[in-house]
C-alpha cells in the first residue's frame, strides 16, 4: 500500500507530509551527482599503517560451562602473521573477561586514528545465538562492542573501513549439507554545492562470521578453525591482489567445499559449514604488502 492508498483507510494517521511534495525552500541534491564525486576505493595510504586487534579467548571460567578452545592459538598466530605482512600494527590480547573486552574497545574508540587507514578486529571465542560472544567470565553482545567504534562514538574512524572477523559458534545446529550434481557444462568533505553531509552510523563496516546464524562453527584442536585458517590462507595468497569482497568469496568457497568433519561419532560426522558475511562497506578495499 502506498501513501495515496493509505490516506483513504480509516484509522491510519500520518505525522509525515506527503512524500511527493517538497517545500520550496529545500534544495534538492542529485544522489547520482553526489555518488560520482565520491572515490570508489578506500584510501589505503602506503605511508600509513593499518590497525588490528586480535582477541583470543582460549580458557574460560568454570562458571560459564565453556571448554578450552584448543587450536585457537594456531588461529591467532596464523592471522597475526599475515596481518603484519599487510602492514597492520597488531594488538594481541589473550583470555579477556567481558569487562576487559569492553575496556579495550573503549580505549580504541578514544584513540586518534588519523595515522591509520583502517581498523580490523579478529575475535576468537565461544558464541551463541543472537550475536552473543564469550569473554572468559560470561557473555557480551557483539553489537555492543562494535557500536563503540561507530562514528558517533569514534569520530576519527568515520569514513574508514571497520572490519570484524568472528570465529565463534552462533548456535548448536549442524549443517549436514546436500549433494550437488554437476550441471551441463572517507568520503570527500564537499559535494559540489553541498557544504556538509551525514553518513549512516553502520556505513563502512564489515562483519564476517565463521558460520551462519544458529549454527555450529568447526575448529580443529590441532590445526585451528576452518574459517580463520582459510582467511589467513586467502589473505596470504591474494591479499594484496584482490578486492576484499573477492577475498571473502574465496574464503567462503574454501570453507564450503574443502572442509568436512571426519569423526567416529556419526551424529557429527561429515558436517559442513559456510561463513556469513554482512557488508556495509561503501567502497572497494585493497590491502597492500
Amino acid at each position: 500500500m502506498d501513501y495515496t492508498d493509505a490516506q483513504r483507510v480509516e484509522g491510519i494517521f500520518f505525522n509525515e507530509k506527503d512524500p511527493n511534495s517538497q517545500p520550496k525552500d529545500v534544495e534538492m541534491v542529485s544522489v547520482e551527482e553526489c555518488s560520482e564525486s565520491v572515490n570508489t576505493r578506500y584510501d589505503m595510504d602506503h605511508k600509513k599503517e593499518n590497525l588490528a586487534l586480535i582477541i583470543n579467548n582460549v580458557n574460560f571460567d568454570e562458571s560459564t560451562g565453556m571448554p578450552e578452545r584448543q587450536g585457537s592459538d594456531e588461529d591467532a598466530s596464523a592471522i597475526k602473521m599475515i596481518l603484519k605482512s599487510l602492514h597492520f600494527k597488531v594488538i594481541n590480547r589473550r583470555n579477556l573477561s567481558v569487562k576487559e573486552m569492553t575496556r579495550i574497545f573503549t580505549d580504541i574508540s578514544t584513540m586518534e586514528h588519523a595515522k591509520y587507514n583502517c581498523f580490523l578486529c579478529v575475535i576468537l571465542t565461544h558464541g551463541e545465538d543472537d550475536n552473543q560472544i564469550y569473554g572468559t567470565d560470561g557473555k557480551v553482545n557483539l553489537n555492543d562492542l562494535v557500536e563503540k567504534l561507530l562514528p558517533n562514538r569514534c569520530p576519527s574512524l568515520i569514513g574508514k573501513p571497520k572490519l570484524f572477523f568472528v570465529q565463534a559458534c552462533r548456535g548448536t545446529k549442524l549443517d549436514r549439507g546436500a549433494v550437488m550434481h554437476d550441471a551441463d557444462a572517507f568520503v570527500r568533505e564537499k559535494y559540489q554545492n553541498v557544504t556538509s553531509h551525514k553518513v549512516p552510523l553502520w556505513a563502512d563496516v564489515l562483519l564476517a562470521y565463521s558460520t551462519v546464524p544458529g549454527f555450529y562453527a568447526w575448529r580443529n584442536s590441532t590445526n585451528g578453525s576452518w574459517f580463520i585458517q582459510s582467511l589467513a590462507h586467502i589473505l596470504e595468497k591474494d591479499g594484496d591482489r584482490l578486492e576484499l569482497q573477492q577475498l571473502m568469496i574465496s574464503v567462503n568457497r574454501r570453507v564450503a567445499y574443502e572442509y568436512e568433519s571426519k569423526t567416529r561419532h556419526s551424529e557429527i560426522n561429515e558436517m559442513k559449514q559456510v561463513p556469513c558475511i554482512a557488508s556495509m562497506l561503501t567502497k572497494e578495499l585493497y590491502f597492500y604488502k
Side-chain angles (χ1 to χ4, degrees), residues 162-184:
K162 295 164 278 287
L163 316 174
F164 300 86
F165 300 87
V166 184
Q167 168 59 41
C169 290
R170 304 181 73 188
T172 57
K173 294 180 183 178
L174 296 173
D175 187 342
R176 297 187 178 278
V179 177
M180 180 177 69
H181 300 283
D182 291 338
D184 289 340

Side-chain angles (χ1 to χ4, degrees), residues 4-32:
T4 304
D5 292 334
Q7 282 181 303
R8 295 193 288 266
V9 178
E10 293 184 4
I12 296 181
F13 302 91
F14 293 91
N15 292 321
E16 68 271 25
K17 295 181 179 179
D18 183 342
N20 295 319
S21 66
Q22 296 296 337
K24 295 180 180 180
D25 59 346
V26 175
E27 181 180 2
M28 299 302 294
V29 180
S30 168
V31 174
E32 182 177 355

Side-chain angles (χ1 to χ4, degrees), residues 39 53 237 242:
N39 290 332
L53 168 66
K237 178 174 174 283
L242 298 180

